[in-house]
Amino acid sequence: MTGAPETMLATLYARALDARARQPILGDAAALDAVSRIEYDFPRTGITASTAAGVAMRAKLLDDWTADFLVRHPSATVLHLACGLDTRAQRMAFGPGVRWVDVDLPSVAVLRERLLDVPGGDYRLVHASVTDDGWWDEVPADRPVVAVFEGLTMYLTGDEVRGLVRRVTGRFGRGELLFDVYGSFGIRVQKLVPAVRRAGATLHWGLDDPAVVESWHEGLRCVDAVRSVELPQIAAEPLSGRVPMWVMARLPKVRDVGRVLRYRF
Ligand SMILES: C[S@@+](CC[C@H](N)C(=O)[O-])C[C@H]1O[C@@H](n2cnc3c(N)ncnc32)[C@H](O)[C@@H]1O
């Protein structure tokens, strides 16, 4: 496993480190268990306690937004794209009205089947690229959709991201898109991100202005844009975690290194 698929071992390791922390943010015990069952040089990812906290905060925010959507739409489809080894479906404990679809590339999906328990309820795992045509028709467009894609957009080209957004918004009548992005500065300094560099992955697409995505579909609007250096849980971090974020949040360009976004249509 190399490139973008390998990077999901870095985010898995980050969630495992968080689960082991004295005050976990996400508390994903299944990540800890999965890490203990994979023979891989996890420290090679360069993930540290503070980057692990950042990954856990991003995941927590996306969990909270997904849960918020499901409270408002108890009958809904969840498209969890580029799921990797993320246990969002297990963490959500979704209700009987929810159809949950996890999607990742075949090499990752096979590993996922071997390592993680299948959640109960209306759940399926699709072995495919989000850019493939075939599998979309197998997901009925009969309910509002929440499409969650964490750690994906930067591995796609701009055309692929636009195609994905248009596919979801065009196929489903209404719903939300929850995802994270790199800014163009983050794309330029990607070689400084050990998990990306060591996996031999290349980041392509970055977004500086969330309004750009609104122009891709009529009625699509950004309802939340949270900078990665201003995630809500940072306030509860020890001083050693808060200070670097406080500094980064005041540096032009650097403060826009990444964002977590929520769009509604
Ligand atoms: C950084 S990992 C994130 C995984 C997971 N969302 C998480 O937060 O742990 C990137 C993921 O994107 C997936 N990916 C990259 N390109 C993809 C594509 N075209 N279709 C589906 N998944 C893709 C990789 O296989 C990998 O699981």
Side-chain angles (χ1 to χ4, degrees):
M1 195 169 273
T2 55
E6 186 178 344
T7 62
M8 60 105 187
L9 294 173
T11 43
L12 175 74
Y13 181 52
R15 290 189 296 276
L17 288 186
D18 170 66
R20 237 172 36 195
R22 203 173 322 147
Q23 286 187 313
I25 294 159
L26 200 63
D28 185 352
L32 201 51
D33 181 54
V35 161
S36 74
R37 292 166 60 204
I38 302 173
E39 200 181 311
Y40 180 73
D41 181 6
F42 282 101
R44 196 180 106 88
T45 59
I47 297 285
T48 62
S50 70
T51 48
V55 170
M57 285 178 205
R58 180 179 77 181
K60 175 81 173 72
L61 182 59
L62 290 169
D63 277 9
D64 289 349
W65 284 351
T66 307
D68 175 58
F69 183 87
L70 294 180
V71 166
R72 285 179 285 118
H73 305 279
S75 175
T77 295
V78 181
L79 286 181
H80 185 208
L81 309 173
C83 56
L85 291 175
D86 188 317
T87 57
R88 177 156 289 120
Q90 288 83 347
R91 294 197 298 271
M92 287 286 104
F94 54 90
V98 174
R99 172 190 300 120
W100 191 291
V101 184
D102 273 348
V103 184
D104 209 306
L105 299 171
S107 60
V108 172
V110 163
L111 193 60
R112 186 181 175 93
E113 283 172 338
R114 289 178 57 189
L115 281 164
L116 297 180
D117 292 338
V118 177
D122 186 353
Y123 172 86
R124 65 180 287 209
L125 170 62
V126 174
H127 298 221
S129 168
V130 297
T131 58
D132 287 347
D133 290 328
W135 64 271
W136 288 89
D137 288 340
E138 292 164 28
V139 182
D142 56 346
R143 305 176 194 173
V145 72
V146 57
V148 195
F149 34 112
E150 181 176 5
L152 171 68
T153 58
M154 54 295 290
Y155 297 103
L156 303 179
T157 64
D159 283 350
E160 287 171 334
V161 178
R162 194 172 54 237
L164 176 62
V165 167
R166 287 192 170 150
R167 172 103 68 169
V168 177
T169 51
R171 180 167 170 75
F172 297 86
R174 64 202 168 103
E176 290 184 7
L177 306 171
L178 317 177
F179 59 97
D180 60 316
V181 294
Y182 267 55
S184 58
F185 176 73
I187 297 291
R188 273 206 300 283
V189 300
Q190 61 178 278
K191 292 292 173 220
L192 300 178
V193 184
V196 172
R197 188 177 65 242
R198 293 182 188 159
T202 303
L203 307 183
H204 299 286
W205 185 70
L207 178 74
D208 291 322
D209 178 6
V212 168
V213 173
E214 293 180 337
S215 70
W216 293 349
H217 179 81
E218 209 186 316
L220 182 63
R221 62 196 166 87
C222 181
V223 291
D224 272 300
V226 182
R227 289 193 176 102
S228 311
V229 294
E230 293 175 339
L231 285 163
Q233 297 92 345
I234 290 174
E237 283 292 285
L239 211 57
S240 58
R242 277 201 322 264
V243 170
M245 292 300 142
W246 186 89
V247 173
M248 285 173 78
R250 273 146 193 87
L251 297 175
K253 289 193 180 167
V254 174
R255 67 169 165 239
D256 293 328
V257 72
R259 284 190 174 88
V260 190
L261 302 166
R262 166 154 65 167
Y263 291 85
R264 201 164 282 155
F265 64 97

